[in-house]
């Protein structure tokens, strides 16, 4: 796996590090961010995608991505598209 660092939340300070990478082999975007709290997880579990069973599958999780990371995610999306070319 060859992860390309894209960026880190500029307002992260010293108590967190929401970060985005792109896997150059698969073009997957890899995110490190805050674990969602129980209230958010419960809301996600209750409001599933149409046609899907309620709940969060064992192999998935819910994360919170801070708004400050949005521009970095846009850059990650662009890098992922380039990796697929």
């Amino acid at each position: 796996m060859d992860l390309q660092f894209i960026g880190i939340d500029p307002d992260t300070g010293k108590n967190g590090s929401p970060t985005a990478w792109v896997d150059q082999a698969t073009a997957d975007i890899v995110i490190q961010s805050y674990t969602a709290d129980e209230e958010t997880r419960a809301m996600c579990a209750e409001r599933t995608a149409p046609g899907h069973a309620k709940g969060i599958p064992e192999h998935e999780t819910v994360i919170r991505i801070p708004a400050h990371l949005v521009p970095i995610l846009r850059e990650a999306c662009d890098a992922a598209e380039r990796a697929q070319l």
Side-chain angles (χ1 to χ4, degrees):
M1 179 184 325
D2 183 18
L3 290 181
Q4 175 190 352
F5 171 79
I6 301 298
I8 188 169
D9 180 351
D11 289 346
T12 195
K14 300 289 184 194
N15 294 325
S17 52
T19 307
W21 298 269
V22 171
D23 183 330
Q24 293 294 289
T26 64
D28 289 346
I29 296 172
V30 178
I31 301 293
Q32 173 184 326
S33 194
Y34 305 112
T35 302
D37 60 25
E38 286 305 315
E39 180 182 6
T40 302
R41 289 178 53 79
M43 288 178 15
C44 290
E46 196 59 33
R47 298 182 179 132
T48 57
H52 287 260
K54 284 190 175 186
I56 301 166
E58 283 294 317
H59 65 279
E60 295 182 1
T61 192
V62 177
I63 62 169
R64 240 185 218 284
I65 298 173
H68 294 113
L69 201 60
V70 170
I72 293 165
L73 289 179
R74 286 190 185 108
E75 186 178 339
C77 290
D78 291 343
E81 286 181 342
R82 285 191 299 274
Q84 289 181 337
L85 300 179

